[in-house]
Amino acid sequence: MLVTMATSYNLPTHCLCSLAHIRRHCQHLARFRATHCSSPPPPRGFNNSIPLSTGYFLRRKYDGGRKMALIPSQILRVAILLSYFSILCNYKAIDMPAHQTYGGSWKFLTFIDLVIQAVFFGVCVLTDLSSLLTKGSASMEQERQLKKLIGLRDWMMAVLAFPVGVFVVTMFWALYLYDRDLVYPRLLDNFIPQWLNHGMHTTVLPFIIIEMRTTHHRYPSRSCGLLAVCTFAVGYVVWMCWVHSVTGVWVYPLLEYIGQTARVLFFICLTALISVYYILGEILNNYIWDSLKSSLESDKAKTE
């Protein structure tokens, strides 16, 4: 073919040799690509070693030439925030006698926890928006404000969102399975639908685990964190006692069936339990992100 081309276009002999050289080079290049580049290169801007603070729900790589999906945690946070707004609005729309008494919905830890979770995910969404808007053009003042938002987000996660959320879910279902009338009388089934009950007492746990899995949160020192958690727990106990002193009725039926000494011990055990959940959250957060960091470093070493 090269001889025909050279004859047709009256090419000199040295051009014919050059064309043959180019052909051999292309053949070598094709064999090299077939052997070493079976999967397509990553897209522009893709970084295989994603930083721990990037915030992807699942870290995926190119596997066998197939592009795996990435789910941004920012979208998940917005969806979770909207779900909490829906739960709170539907709960407040229920016309229950307990809502009309002293303290209203605020005397129930479940409602307080829903507000905590909604505010926390609101701060998360605000942090994501601020990070997006200031990316690449942030001044020193903007970076300082962003760091404050991130610090508030991490503090709320460590001290309130995780320990209080896990406490509400585990305590509710433990007492519910033992004797539901102690914490959730059957009368409430006439007011609260099942989906709303699960929204208040079940989905809190997977939502907070998803948040912990998607974003690395910096915990405060253990002493400061435990002090803040215990302050919240003691504050809620004092609030329950105050409501009882005003109305003569305990917030939860369980407290009606035990004596004063047992009630004090019960409050102490609850404060200790929520402190344990704080430590558990700190351990779980460190385990998740230390493991991921090791995995990323191992993958990077293999690629190099």
Side-chain angles (χ1 to χ4, degrees):
M1 182 178 177
L2 293 175
V3 175
T4 304
M5 291 175 59
T7 305
S8 301
Y9 295 100
N10 297 320
L11 296 177
T13 306
H14 70 273
C15 292
L16 180 63
C17 295
S18 299
L19 289 173
H21 178 73
I22 293 172
R23 181 185 178 187
R24 286 196 300 272
H25 179 72
C26 291
Q27 290 174 346
H28 286 304
L29 183 60
R31 283 196 296 269
F32 177 82
R33 286 179 175 175
T35 304
H36 300 283
C37 303
S38 57
S39 60
R44 184 179 180 182
F46 179 82
N47 185 3
N48 190 37
S49 51
I50 298 174
L52 298 181
S53 59
T54 303
Y56 283 99
F57 176 53
L58 292 176
R59 179 183 177 274
R60 301 294 180 87
K61 296 188 299 183
Y62 280 69
D63 183 16
R66 295 175 298 170
K67 184 179 179 181
M68 308 301 289
L70 288 170
I71 305 176
S73 62
Q74 293 84 350
I75 296 178
L76 290 172
R77 292 193 187 103
V78 172
I80 293 172
L81 178 62
L82 293 176
S83 71
Y84 277 124
F85 281 159
S86 175
I87 292 170
L88 283 168
C89 290
N90 280 275
Y91 178 75
K92 292 298 292 183
I94 296 174
D95 185 17
M96 286 196 307
H99 291 174
Q100 312 303 325
T101 58
Y102 182 81
S105 304
W106 291 98
K107 58 180 174 285
F108 300 111
L109 185 60
T110 294
F111 179 77
I112 295 175
D113 177 53
L114 288 176
V115 174
I116 289 173
Q117 302 298 329
V119 172
F120 167 68
F121 279 99
V123 172
C124 289
V125 171
L126 182 60
T127 303
D128 293 336
L129 288 175
S130 300
S131 178
L132 180 64
L133 294 175
T134 59
K135 186 176 182 180
S137 60
S139 63
M140 294 295 293
E141 179 63 22
Q142 288 175 330
E143 290 182 358
R144 190 171 65 86
Q145 295 299 329
L146 180 59
K147 287 181 179 179
K148 286 184 178 181
L149 269 178
I150 293 174
L152 175 61
R153 179 200 66 186
D154 293 347
W155 185 88
M156 287 193 67
M157 174 68 176
V159 173
L160 294 175
F162 185 87
V164 178
V166 175
F167 177 84
V168 167
V169 173
T170 54
M171 283 300 300
F172 174 83
W173 287 111
L175 293 173
Y176 186 95
L177 294 175
Y178 176 74
D179 184 359
R180 64 169 294 177
D181 290 328
L182 295 176
V183 66
Y184 193 80
R186 289 176 172 81
L187 178 65
L188 294 178
D189 291 339
N190 299 325
F191 300 95
I192 303 177
Q194 284 296 319
W195 72 266
L196 186 56
N197 180 30
H198 285 291
M200 296 187 298
H201 298 113
T202 305
T203 58
V204 174
L205 183 58
F207 284 168
I208 206 66
I209 293 296
I210 287 173
E211 171 60 24
M212 180 173 283
R213 179 63 181 83
T214 56
T215 305
H216 182 219
H217 297 275
R218 296 184 181 276
Y219 269 60
S221 64
R222 183 167 294 183
S223 58
C224 293
L226 287 175
L227 179 61
V229 169
C230 291
T231 300
F232 173 85
V234 172
Y236 181 70
V237 169
V238 172
W239 168 237
M240 282 195 300
C241 294
W242 176 258
V243 172
H244 175 262
S245 68
V246 173
T247 63
V249 179
W250 286 103
V251 174
Y252 301 103
L254 168 66
L255 300 174
E256 301 282 357
Y257 301 115
I258 58 179
Q260 185 172 355
T261 304
R263 202 175 293 130
V264 172
L265 292 175
F266 181 73
F267 291 151
I268 293 174
C269 290
L270 293 185
T271 304
L273 182 59
I274 199 171
S275 300
V276 170
Y277 284 145
Y278 170 83
I279 298 174
L280 176 64
E282 182 182 11
I283 294 173
L284 184 60
N285 180 72
N286 292 336
Y287 172 77
I288 289 173
W289 291 99
D290 288 346
S291 299
L292 182 58
K293 185 177 180 180
S294 300
S295 176
L296 293 177
E297 290 176 350
S298 176
D299 291 347
K300 186 176 181 180
K302 289 179 181 179
T303 56
E304 292 177 352

